[in-house]
Amino acid sequence: MEGAGYRVVFEKGGVYLHTSAKKYQDRDSLIAGVIRVVEKDNDVLLHWAPVEEAGDSTQILFSKKDSSGGDSCASEEEPTFDPGYEPDWAVISTVRPQPRHSEPTRGAEPSCPQGSWAFSVSLGELKSIRRSKPGLSWAYLVLVTQAGGSLPALHFHRGGTRALLRVLSRYLLLASSPQDSRLYLVFPHDSSALSNSFHHLQLFDQDSSNVVSRFLQDPYSTTFSSFSRVTNFFRGALQPQPEGAASDLPPPPDDEPEPGFEVISCVELGPRPTVERGPPVTEEEWARHVGPEGRLQQVPELKNRIFSGGLSPGLRREAWKFLLGYLSWEGTAEEHKAHVRKKTDEYFRMKLQWKSVSPEQERRNSLLHGYRSLIERDVSRTDRTNKFYEGPENPGLGLLNDILLTYCMYHFDLGYVQGMSDLLSPILYVIQNEVDAFWCFCGFMELVQGNFEESQETMKRQLGRLLLLLRVLDPQLCDFLDSQDSGSLCFCFRWLLIWFKREFPFPDVLRLWEVLWTGLPGPNLHLLVACAILDMERDTLMLSGFGSNEILKHINELTMKLSVEDVLTRAEALHRQLTACPELPHNVQEILGIAPPTEPHSPSPTASPLPLSPTRAPPTPPAPTDTAPQPDSSLEILPEEEDDDGADS
């Protein structure tokens, strides 16, 4: 919309002011309005105006709120207070129409016209923007000016906070501190002002102006060579403007060091490449990689083949032991035999620990009793439709139970957590040996044990990384999910927790896991698998007008309807598309494993964690003094089974 001397570049309705400090708002305390970003007279304004029941709201498009007059909306019985917007439900602002000096006539109702709440502020006057915590019913923004006052909080009942921030990022630099991800500091697009900001932040040992000038000439190399605390800069972010003034950023207090900043901007990705997956690795192809002493040769080439095509069903029983770190890729056949003997003895020593506990002892061991009860309950409902585990007296269920209880002895701190049986079931199905399956399971748990920690910090970190990848790949989808209160991606929690075990048919899970276990093309491929699924469902989600409940329902209904080959093909294409981008943010490069992680920060609950670094082999325990084999009565070997049609897709 354009008019005489002005142009509206952004407009969003359904933006309310909550004029009461009560937790639950009534209709009279909600003022509906429209937020606009307007270019006028060589300036850019952020303007909010109420939606009047009568009249043209454009008449007050550029009206400033009178700070010296106006009727008060506050009642004497319920005084105004400023909660600082720390409580998530806080709605009152420190900026509102001031009461007149003359009191209203006794008995008359004080008037409070909605138009008096309208405000308009130049973007150059903004100092910071605070967002609400995710998960609330209505997201809000609080804008703080350079003068130190805050404007009325804007509550977006129909979504749009992220869209507004993206528009503002065209005119401003929005910097978010990792110690408070909800607070964005506002900087103008001005190199001299940015130099002063860097000087006050003391991010560099050298002259800040020299850093900025070099950044403007070669932003990519300067970012990754000099900006050790600025993790994400883009070439278009620092284009100098012809005119513009900027106020100096006040230095931080001496006793509170300023954290690093991450600049929010857009990444221009190139075209998505075409990917073709290969055929599975056959037993004959595997045999060609086995040397005279049984040592595998050309291992990188072999791993690449597994990544691009997976394994044939008959080869999995042997190959999975290498992929999960049970057997060494560099070991000879004799070394493998000695290793298996040692691990067999170690396994039964741990198994004996819980099998030798009498019922009387277990009654006084609530931890072991709790593990046993939980394991029995979970095992009884794990993959019972699979022929390998069906039936009430199936021996496979007993092996699942024994392996999981023994793992509690192996990892006392972690013990058993619901979901682990889902990870063990495919391994036991393939390996068909209690001892080998246990150690392969331990290797898998080395990769994902953080998923089962009580603090859930690892899961939160992975969801954060997934959101970062998705924001780079598809910011429009992120905006849509955020507008529907689904921006936290909590519906992906189960995907990441047990590596899509319940999302694909059982044979597809085997293919997916063996590809992920190769560690190629880099760490965290499972996050790109999640991005691939969301990318496949993008149009359905966005064009159907789904709300948060419908989004969750749709994601759950994808179970057993996905093709693993299609998902893996798309995930690899996404990886190639990201790695081909020359201006990929450094923190995204870390997630993909194409850049070394930044130096660890001092311990802080809100500091950016280091990327996941999967270890292929579990820690080697001390060698036992006695390696004599155990009696056959203690070792339960499952009978050999021919490959059935359902073993692979």
Side-chain angles (χ1 to χ4, degrees), residues 480 484 540-547 550:
F480 168 77
Q484 301 302 323
T540 302
L541 293 173
M542 296 185 66
L543 300 180
S544 300
F546 286 163
E550 290 81 8

Side-chain angles (χ1 to χ4, degrees), residues 521-563:
N524 300 311
L525 178 63
H526 64 297
L527 300 181
L528 287 175
V529 169
C531 289
I533 297 175
L534 294 175
D535 185 68
M536 295 168 67
E537 300 300 317
R538 179 186 193 273
D539 291 343
T540 302
L541 293 173
M542 296 185 66
L543 300 180
S544 300
F546 286 163
S548 58
N549 292 334
E550 290 81 8
I551 291 173
L552 179 60
K553 181 176 182 290
H554 178 77
I555 294 298
N556 287 335
E557 290 175 349
L558 295 177
T559 301
M560 303 301 165
K561 297 179 182 178
L562 299 169
S563 167

Side-chain angles (χ1 to χ4, degrees), residues 332-565:
T332 64
E334 288 301 319
E335 290 171 343
H336 291 158
K337 290 180 182 179
H339 180 74
V340 170
R341 287 195 296 268
K342 182 181 73 171
K343 289 298 184 181
T344 299
D345 180 77
E346 186 177 346
Y347 173 78
F348 284 107
R349 288 177 185 272
M350 291 185 292
K351 183 175 181 179
L352 185 63
Q353 292 177 6
W354 64 265
K355 285 189 85 64
S356 61
V357 175
S358 66
E360 184 68 22
Q361 288 177 301
E362 186 170 329
R363 280 196 292 269
R364 294 189 294 270
N365 190 333
S366 58
L367 186 61
L368 178 60
H369 179 74
Y371 285 151
R372 186 191 296 273
S373 300
L374 186 57
I375 290 172
E376 289 177 353
R377 184 183 65 187
D378 286 356
V379 164
S380 65
R381 56 191 184 188
T382 299
D383 292 326
R384 298 309 303 276
T385 58
N386 189 303
K387 293 182 179 179
F388 193 79
Y389 297 109
E390 68 180 3
E393 301 296 332
N394 192 299
L397 301 179
L399 293 185
L400 282 176
N401 181 86
D402 289 358
I403 292 174
L404 292 172
L405 274 171
T406 305
Y407 185 79
C408 295
M409 302 294 105
Y410 172 78
H411 200 315
F412 284 104
D413 291 337
L414 185 59
Y416 177 81
V417 182
Q418 190 174 16
M420 290 182 180
S421 60
D422 281 289
L423 302 184
L424 173 60
S425 170
I427 295 176
L428 182 58
Y429 170 84
V430 169
I431 302 298
Q432 299 189 12
N433 177 283
E434 180 182 3
V435 175
D436 294 347
F438 171 82
W439 291 112
C440 287
F441 174 68
C442 290
F444 194 6
M445 287 301 300
E446 285 292 317
L447 300 176
V448 299
Q449 68 179 22
N451 294 1
F452 300 95
E453 294 174 351
E454 186 176 0
S455 66
Q456 295 189 347
E457 287 301 319
T458 299
M459 288 300 302
K460 295 175 184 176
R461 183 163 67 245
Q462 290 186 82
L463 286 172
R465 289 172 171 173
L466 174 59
L467 180 59
L468 177 59
L469 289 174
L470 191 63
R471 182 175 294 131
V472 174
L473 289 166
D474 196 339
Q476 291 79 16
L477 178 58
C478 279
D479 289 344
F480 168 77
L481 294 174
D482 185 62
S483 69
Q484 301 302 323
D485 294 327
S486 300
S488 61
L489 303 181
C490 290
F491 51 83
C492 300
F493 186 89
R494 188 178 70 183
W495 294 0
L496 306 183
L497 178 68
I498 53 177
W499 275 28
F500 309 93
K501 167 62 166 54
R502 300 184 184 179
E503 317 312 318
F504 293 93
F506 195 86
D508 284 2
V509 172
L510 308 183
R511 171 60 47 80
L512 174 64
W513 284 4
E514 63 199 14
V515 170
L516 295 177
W517 290 336
T518 64
L520 300 174
N524 300 311
L525 178 63
H526 64 297
L527 300 181
L528 287 175
V529 169
C531 289
I533 297 175
L534 294 175
D535 185 68
M536 295 168 67
E537 300 300 317
R538 179 186 193 273
D539 291 343
T540 302
L541 293 173
M542 296 185 66
L543 300 180
S544 300
F546 286 163
S548 58
N549 292 334
E550 290 81 8
I551 291 173
L552 179 60
K553 181 176 182 290
H554 178 77
I555 294 298
N556 287 335
E557 290 175 349
L558 295 177
T559 301
M560 303 301 165
K561 297 179 182 178
L562 299 169
S563 167
V564 71
E565 291 297 330

Side-chain angles (χ1 to χ4, degrees), residues 291-314:
E293 297 181 345
R295 194 191 310 271
L296 289 172
Q297 301 173 340
Q298 299 175 324
V299 173
E301 178 186 336
L302 183 58
K303 286 185 177 180
N304 272 304
R305 280 287 295 113
I306 298 173
F307 167 74
S308 64
L311 296 163
S312 61

